[in-house]
Amino acid sequence: MKRTKVQLFDLLPLIALVVLVIAFGITSQGRIFSPFNLKSICTQSIPVIIGGLGVMFAVAMGGCDLSVGAVAAVSATVGAWVGSQYGLPVMILVALLIGLVSGIVVGFIVSRLHVPSFMVTLAMLIGMRGFVNALLSAWGQVYNPDGLGELSSFGASMALVVVLVIVVGYVFEKTSFGYYCKGMGENENTMKSIGVDTAKVRHIAYIISGVLASVMGLVLISSVGGSSSTLGQFMEMKIQMAIFLGGVLVTGGIKSKIYKLILGSLSITVITNGLTLSGAGGGITEMVEGILLMLILFVTIKTSSLPGKGRSSKDKNKQAAAVG
């Protein structure tokens, strides 16, 4: 019975996605099922999935990364400005370096100075967003270098996200590093007791998040032709909603799974898309997303605190032995 309940809990993200599609299929009079719209849903989900792949490492440890949207904007903006002068390869390199440096800085402050991830990444979000606006004020309009537009094609973006899901999914699900991240979400003291350098693991996790945020920035800017003050805006919220809507607990742990991120990303895109097709305005859509985020957080917190959801000391010791 207990095993059945666990399996049902893991199936909830898929059930939720199916219910959303059916509901909006009715309210939109079937328009959500058109080939063009289905393709649009997949396209809009791609940056959420890419950014979420990095954030998953932080969430699995019980932390968060609210800076990814702003990091994506800075990476793409500076990369495009440099790339317009020196070419596409230089743009990609610069963008990835900015994401790497931001991840190193955030990871150092969180892991070595022991400042809560919420405070650090929120400060980075505010600072980076202001930096983007300052850059655009100084440089004017920033356009993409030749060749970047090809990344916005459905085939190229799908190929990129598939490769990233396979690579990052393997690291997250099959390597010791991924186990350590999830183990820290279960019980960080247990990880320390078996010799895991939890500060190093946390630092690397935020580096991965920063690099994937810059990749998300490249995907976002490729579809609009150039940078703007709104590039990547609210992406951090969409990613958090996708992760929690997918059934990942706020506290992280072994329930953190890549497939849940993918299902959650599709679900949040279906909600936005379905509301638009059903005639809801932008204000209504944002209000629904805000209410939904609060409900998701409430449900995940309550679910994680239910009897039977916690893990006994014996279970945690078994997990630690498996990780070790």
Side-chain angles (χ1 to χ4, degrees):
M1 179 67 69
K2 190 174 181 180
R3 183 177 179 85
T4 302
K5 287 181 179 179
V6 172
Q7 291 175 339
L8 180 60
F9 180 79
D10 289 335
L11 286 175
L12 283 178
L14 179 59
I15 295 172
L17 177 59
V18 171
V19 170
L20 286 170
V21 170
I22 293 174
F24 284 120
I26 296 172
T27 58
S28 67
Q29 299 179 345
R31 291 193 296 274
I32 197 172
F33 298 115
S34 71
F36 175 82
N37 192 66
L38 292 176
K39 181 179 177 180
S40 177
I41 289 174
C42 292
T43 300
Q44 293 171 33
S45 300
I46 287 174
V48 181
I49 294 173
I50 292 175
L53 287 172
V55 176
M56 279 291 291
F57 288 92
V59 171
M61 298 184 296
C64 67
D65 190 349
L66 300 178
S67 66
V68 287
V71 171
V74 172
S75 300
T77 299
V78 176
W81 185 77
V82 175
S84 62
Q85 303 174 59
Y86 300 103
L88 180 59
V90 178
M91 174 189 179
I92 296 174
L93 177 61
V94 169
L96 293 177
L97 283 175
I98 291 173
L100 175 65
V101 171
S102 69
I104 291 174
V105 172
V106 170
F108 177 81
I109 297 173
V110 173
S111 63
R112 308 296 177 176
L113 302 182
H114 307 292
V115 181
S117 60
F118 176 84
M119 294 175 62
V120 177
T121 57
L122 180 61
M124 181 67 77
L125 162 65
I126 296 171
M128 286 288 210
R129 188 56 65 182
F131 186 50
V132 169
N133 293 333
L135 290 177
L136 292 174
S137 296
W139 294 342
Q141 184 62 48
V142 176
Y143 297 101
N144 294 340
D146 294 336
L148 184 64
E150 296 178 5
L151 184 61
S152 64
S153 68
F154 183 73
S157 57
M158 281 297 296
L160 175 63
V161 78
V162 167
V163 170
L164 288 175
V165 166
I166 292 173
V167 173
V168 178
Y170 177 81
V171 173
F172 191 74
E173 305 287 358
K174 300 297 183 181
T175 68
S176 296
F177 179 78
Y179 290 135
Y180 293 159
C181 290
K182 288 179 276 190
M184 288 165 63
E186 292 288 329
N187 191 321
E188 186 166 346
N189 289 330
T190 301
M191 294 295 103
K192 290 180 179 178
S193 70
I194 62 173
V196 176
D197 187 345
T198 56
K200 181 179 179 180
V201 171
R202 184 172 280 107
H203 199 166
I204 294 174
Y206 281 96
I207 292 174
I208 295 173
S209 185
V211 172
L212 286 172
S214 65
V215 177
M216 178 179 71
L218 291 172
V219 172
L220 290 171
I221 200 172
S222 69
S223 62
V224 294
S227 185
S228 69
S229 60
T230 60
L231 184 68
Q233 199 168 43
F234 302 124
M235 284 303 298
E236 49 280 319
M237 290 297 101
K238 285 187 177 181
I239 290 171
Q240 294 291 332
M241 289 176 65
I243 291 173
F244 299 138
L245 186 58
V248 177
L249 300 178
V250 178
T251 52
I254 60 172
K255 292 293 184 183
S256 305
K257 301 290 183 181
I258 295 298
Y259 82 87
K260 293 183 177 181
L261 163 69
I262 296 173
L263 291 175
S265 299
L266 290 170
S267 294
I268 192 62
T269 305
V270 166
I271 290 170
T272 304
N273 181 275
L275 286 170
T276 301
L277 290 178
S278 301
I284 296 295
T285 300
E286 292 179 2
M287 182 182 70
V288 170
E289 290 177 351
I291 294 173
L292 181 64
L293 178 57
M294 289 188 288
L295 289 175
I296 293 168
L297 291 173
F298 175 78
V299 171
T300 52
I301 290 172
K302 286 296 183 182
T303 302
S304 64
S305 63
L306 285 175
K309 290 298 180 184
R311 294 169 64 84
S312 66
S313 298
K314 185 176 179 181
D315 292 333
K316 289 173 181 175
N317 289 335
K318 286 181 180 179
Q319 172 70 10
V323 172

